[in-house]
Structure formats: C-alpha cells, structure tokens
Amino acid sequence: MNSQQSIHRVSHEIKRRKLVVLRVTDLTPRMRRVTLHGPELTGFISLGTDDHVKLLFATTPEEQAALESFTPGGNSEGPRPVMRDYTPRRYDPVSGELDIDFVLHGDGPAATWAEQVEPGQSLYIAGPRGSMIVPDMFDSYLLIGDETALPAIARRLEELPAGRRALVVVQIQEDAERQVLQSKAQVEVIWVVRGEQELLQVVAGLTPPSGDLYAWVATESALSRKVRRVLLDDFKLDEAAVKAAGYWRLDESEEA
C-alpha cells in the first residue's frame, strides 16, 4: 500500500454555527431531511463520508442562553445544551446548503425537534471535529448499517467512482423505508426488514465482494460489535480495513 494512500484522520477547527432551516423534505415515512443555510455556514468542512456534526438543543432557558457562546470541546462552565451526533448528508458550498437526515423514531431531543421542524427555525451545530479519509485504494466495499447509517452509506456510494463494487446491507423498519441509492459504482443492496430477518444472520451468509475490500459497519452498538467479529473471524478481513461504529444503544432512546 502506497504511503500516500492510506486511511488517515484529518482534524478540523471546531466552530459553533447558528443556521436556519431552509427546507423540510420527507424522504420516507420515517426519514426526514432538513436543509440548513445561513452566513455562518461559510467555511464548513466535511471531508469524510461518515463525518458527524454535533447538533445542539436547549431544554431550559439557561441552556438556550448558553448556546450563544457554547463551543463543544471547550472549557465552558455552567449550563450545557444537549448534544447529538449526525452525519452531514450533503454540503454544497456554492448554494450554501447543508442537509441533515433524521430518523423520526419519536424519542429524544433531535427526533422530537425534527418531528415539528419548519422552515425559518434555527439550529445550532458544531464540527465536524475531524474526518476519516478513506482514499480510493480499494476494489470493493461492504457497507452495513440501519436507518441511522443510511446518510453515511448513501454519501459513500455517491463518492465511489466507476469500476468499484459495493455490497450494501441495510436494516429498516419496513419496506417503505427503502431509499434509492445513487452511485457510479456497481452496487448491490440487500434490505433487511426487522421482524422478518436478522441482520447478523444475513451478514453471516454473505459472500463478500472480491479484491481489496473495505468494510464499514454502523448500527446499534452491541450489534456492530457482533458484526465486526463476523467480518474478522469468519470472513478473515484485514482489521485495518474494517471500521465498526455504534450509532445508538438499546438502553438509550436517542441515536448517537
């Protein structure tokens, strides 16, 4: 592997931004896209397809006042807003727009906010703190996740060039949650409906794409760990080319 081509992390300056909701679009019954804009979006950087920004929510008047000066990672004392991590689904520096996709699961400050959001409302964000850069050095990709991972999976597929292959496994609540995933690469998508199939069993029965493979997993934390073990122990994938993240926990109502 060329030293110029390796998976590496790039850090960014953390900046708190106050943005305004421009559009609200329902992609599926349970997935809502919120398009944000505003002058403070200038200079926003998101280099990795699975980057995350922190969305800041105030639950008290004191926390609302603190939002004006609060910066995640700083040493500020006093009230702290509730923070949730979300993937920047799309950033267009020309139009000055940022898309964030929300799963409408009904619990937690982010989902509750997304349920009632309307154009003209404001939202504070911060980050990304950094980006994991995966250069175009793999022949194929295995992308596994649930609804919370769809923004990162869709973004990864959109950035893959022609000549690559991708096998995608996504766990959803029902068939209506399927999304059209765009890519120049050759893509196969397996949709796993809860209650009909188990994600872990589906993964265990896969035949991974051939060639140099990069595997990415994001779902419930305990399940992500189990899927990772299948990829390493059963499929014998290179640990350096496997990334597994827990996007939420069963004992928490809000996804991470």
Side-chain angles (χ1 to χ4, degrees):
M1 185 180 298
N2 191 315
S3 61
Q4 302 275 328
Q5 287 191 317
S6 61
I7 299 174
H8 60 282
R9 185 169 181 82
V10 176
S11 297
H12 310 303
E13 179 185 0
I14 302 177
K15 182 178 180 181
R16 176 190 53 79
R17 292 174 162 90
K18 183 180 182 181
L19 306 177
V20 176
V21 176
L22 180 64
R23 290 189 303 275
V24 179
T25 307
D26 286 332
L27 304 177
T28 70
R30 298 181 75 242
M31 183 76 79
R32 174 168 292 176
R33 175 166 296 164
V34 177
T35 301
L36 305 162
H37 73 144
E40 293 188 15
L41 193 56
T42 301
F44 181 84
I45 298 175
S46 177
L47 303 178
T49 59
D50 59 349
D51 284 354
H52 61 262
V53 292
K54 289 194 178 298
L55 309 187
L56 314 178
F57 300 96
T59 58
T60 66
E62 292 77 16
E63 290 178 0
Q64 183 62 44
L67 275 178
E68 298 296 334
S69 59
F70 178 79
T71 299
N75 296 320
S76 58
E77 299 180 357
R80 295 169 60 88
V82 175
M83 294 179 283
R84 292 293 184 265
D85 291 346
Y86 274 77
T87 300
R89 174 62 181 84
R90 177 188 68 98
Y91 170 57
D92 186 342
V94 176
S95 64
E97 295 180 0
L98 173 67
D99 288 344
I100 305 288
D101 291 354
F102 294 81
V103 179
L104 302 178
H105 52 71
D107 299 311
T112 300
W113 180 84
E115 287 273 9
Q116 59 78 52
V117 66
E118 295 180 352
Q121 294 182 8
S122 61
L123 177 68
Y124 285 87
I125 73 167
R129 180 188 299 271
S131 300
M132 189 65 68
I133 308 300
V134 181
D136 180 30
M137 61 185 187
F138 295 97
D139 302 310
S140 53
Y141 295 78
L142 177 57
L143 309 175
I144 302 168
D146 58 16
E147 298 96 333
T148 64
L150 264 175
I153 289 175
R155 187 173 163 184
R156 172 83 62 188
L157 292 175
E158 288 173 357
E159 295 186 10
L160 288 181
R164 301 292 182 245
R165 295 181 303 278
L167 177 57
V168 181
V169 184
V170 184
Q171 185 181 50
I172 53 176
Q173 189 66 27
E174 56 187 359
D175 282 332
E177 293 306 309
R178 298 188 184 206
Q179 295 186 26
V180 177
L181 302 176
Q182 306 287 348
S183 183
K184 296 177 182 177
Q186 179 182 335
V187 179
E188 177 187 356
V189 183
I190 300 173
W191 299 97
V192 180
V193 178
R194 288 187 185 86
E196 297 181 7
Q197 293 175 294
E198 295 293 333
L199 181 65
L200 190 61
Q201 293 179 355
V202 172
V203 171
L206 294 176
T207 299
S210 59
D212 289 334
L213 175 66
Y214 176 76
W216 183 89
V217 182
T219 180
E220 193 276 328
S221 294
L223 182 55
S224 285
R225 290 194 295 269
K226 293 176 182 178
V227 171
R228 179 178 180 272
R229 292 300 349 150
V230 169
L231 300 182
L232 296 179
D233 299 342
D234 298 349
F235 295 171
K236 308 300 182 184
L237 299 186
D238 181 356
E239 187 171 4
V242 175
K243 179 181 179 182
Y247 269 19
W248 58 282
R249 299 178 188 274
L250 276 177
D251 57 356
E252 295 179 359
S253 60
E254 182 76 26
E255 67 260 29

